[in-house]
mmCIF file of all heavy atoms in Angstrom:
data_model
loop_
_atom_site.group_PDB
_atom_site.id
_atom_site.type_symbol
_atom_site.label_atom_id
_atom_site.label_comp_id
_atom_site.label_asym_id
_atom_site.label_seq_id
_atom_site.Cartn_x
_atom_site.Cartn_y
_atom_site.Cartn_z
ATOM 1 N N LEU E 168 102.835 98.145 77.853
ATOM 2 C CA LEU E 168 101.828 98.386 78.888
ATOM 3 C C LEU E 168 102.081 99.759 79.490
ATOM 4 O O LEU E 168 103.085 99.982 80.163
ATOM 5 C CB LEU E 168 101.897 97.310 79.966
ATOM 6 C CG LEU E 168 100.888 97.454 81.111
ATOM 7 C CD1 LEU E 168 99.468 97.253 80.612
ATOM 8 C CD2 LEU E 168 101.229 96.458 82.217
ATOM 9 N N ARG E 169 101.182 100.687 79.213
ATOM 10 C CA ARG E 169 101.385 102.071 79.673
ATOM 11 C C ARG E 169 100.859 102.268 81.094
ATOM 12 O O ARG E 169 101.454 102.978 81.881
ATOM 13 C CB ARG E 169 100.694 103.042 78.720
ATOM 14 C CG ARG E 169 101.068 102.827 77.276
ATOM 15 C CD ARG E 169 101.967 103.825 76.634
ATOM 16 N NE ARG E 169 101.918 105.152 77.072
ATOM 17 C CZ ARG E 169 101.415 106.171 76.373
ATOM 18 N NH1 ARG E 169 100.871 105.965 75.200
ATOM 19 N NH2 ARG E 169 101.478 107.393 76.830
ATOM 20 N N SER E 170 99.692 101.677 81.377
ATOM 21 C CA SER E 170 99.116 101.833 82.716
ATOM 22 C C SER E 170 97.982 100.836 82.910
ATOM 23 O O SER E 170 97.438 100.301 81.938
ATOM 24 C CB SER E 170 98.583 103.258 82.923
ATOM 25 O OG SER E 170 97.500 103.507 82.050
ATOM 26 N N VAL E 171 97.646 100.616 84.164
ATOM 27 C CA VAL E 171 96.458 99.855 84.545
ATOM 28 C C VAL E 171 95.843 100.609 85.708
ATOM 29 O O VAL E 171 96.491 100.806 86.733
ATOM 30 C CB VAL E 171 96.781 98.411 84.963
ATOM 31 C CG1 VAL E 171 95.499 97.670 85.338
ATOM 32 C CG2 VAL E 171 97.531 97.676 83.866
ATOM 33 N N GLU E 172 94.630 101.055 85.527
ATOM 34 C CA GLU E 172 93.942 101.811 86.579
ATOM 35 C C GLU E 172 92.503 101.333 86.690
ATOM 36 O O GLU E 172 91.955 100.760 85.748
ATOM 37 C CB GLU E 172 93.957 103.303 86.239
ATOM 38 C CG GLU E 172 95.376 103.875 86.182
ATOM 39 C CD GLU E 172 95.401 105.333 85.776
ATOM 40 O OE1 GLU E 172 94.329 105.907 85.491
ATOM 41 O OE2 GLU E 172 96.501 105.894 85.732
ATOM 42 N N LEU E 173 91.904 101.585 87.832
ATOM 43 C CA LEU E 173 90.490 101.263 88.005
ATOM 44 C C LEU E 173 89.667 102.484 87.627
ATOM 45 O O LEU E 173 89.978 103.602 88.047
ATOM 46 C CB LEU E 173 90.215 100.881 89.450
ATOM 47 C CG LEU E 173 90.933 99.646 89.979
ATOM 48 C CD1 LEU E 173 90.531 99.391 91.427
ATOM 49 C CD2 LEU E 173 90.655 98.431 89.124
ATOM 50 N N ASP E 174 88.617 102.254 86.833
ATOM 51 C CA ASP E 174 87.742 103.378 86.520
ATOM 52 C C ASP E 174 86.670 103.506 87.615
ATOM 53 O O ASP E 174 86.680 102.757 88.602
ATOM 54 C CB ASP E 174 87.143 103.256 85.112
ATOM 55 C CG ASP E 174 86.170 102.097 84.954
ATOM 56 O OD1 ASP E 174 85.804 101.453 85.974
ATOM 57 O OD2 ASP E 174 85.756 101.826 83.813
ATOM 58 N N GLN E 175 85.757 104.458 87.468
ATOM 59 C CA GLN E 175 84.739 104.717 88.493
ATOM 60 C C GLN E 175 83.838 103.508 88.737
ATOM 61 O O GLN E 175 83.310 103.332 89.834
ATOM 62 C CB GLN E 175 83.900 105.937 88.100
ATOM 63 C CG GLN E 175 84.693 107.233 88.161
ATOM 64 C CD GLN E 175 85.252 107.521 89.548
ATOM 65 O OE1 GLN E 175 84.617 107.282 90.565
ATOM 66 N NE2 GLN E 175 86.484 108.028 89.601
ATOM 67 N N ALA E 176 83.670 102.684 87.706
ATOM 68 C CA ALA E 176 82.830 101.492 87.845
ATOM 69 C C ALA E 176 83.595 100.312 88.435
ATOM 70 O O ALA E 176 83.030 99.235 88.619
ATOM 71 C CB ALA E 176 82.245 101.118 86.484
ATOM 72 N N GLY E 177 84.906 100.500 88.692
ATOM 73 C CA GLY E 177 85.702 99.422 89.257
ATOM 74 C C GLY E 177 86.307 98.501 88.220
ATOM 75 O O GLY E 177 86.923 97.491 88.561
ATOM 76 N N ARG E 178 86.163 98.843 86.932
ATOM 77 C CA ARG E 178 86.776 98.021 85.878
ATOM 78 C C ARG E 178 88.266 98.342 85.790
ATOM 79 O O ARG E 178 88.677 99.484 86.012
ATOM 80 C CB ARG E 178 86.102 98.286 84.533
ATOM 81 C CG ARG E 178 84.630 97.888 84.539
ATOM 82 C CD ARG E 178 83.983 98.253 83.244
ATOM 83 N NE ARG E 178 84.109 99.709 83.081
ATOM 84 C CZ ARG E 178 83.540 100.401 82.123
ATOM 85 N NH1 ARG E 178 82.831 99.804 81.209
ATOM 86 N NH2 ARG E 178 83.705 101.703 82.055
ATOM 87 N N ALA E 179 89.060 97.331 85.459
ATOM 88 C CA ALA E 179 90.506 97.528 85.282
ATOM 89 C C ALA E 179 90.751 97.966 83.842
ATOM 90 O O ALA E 179 90.505 97.212 82.905
ATOM 91 C CB ALA E 179 91.256 96.243 85.584
#
Side-chain angles (χ1 to χ4, degrees):
L168 180 66
R169 308 253 329 251
S170 65
V171 180
E172 297 177 358
L173 298 181
D174 67 9
Q175 291 301 321
R178 297 176 300 187

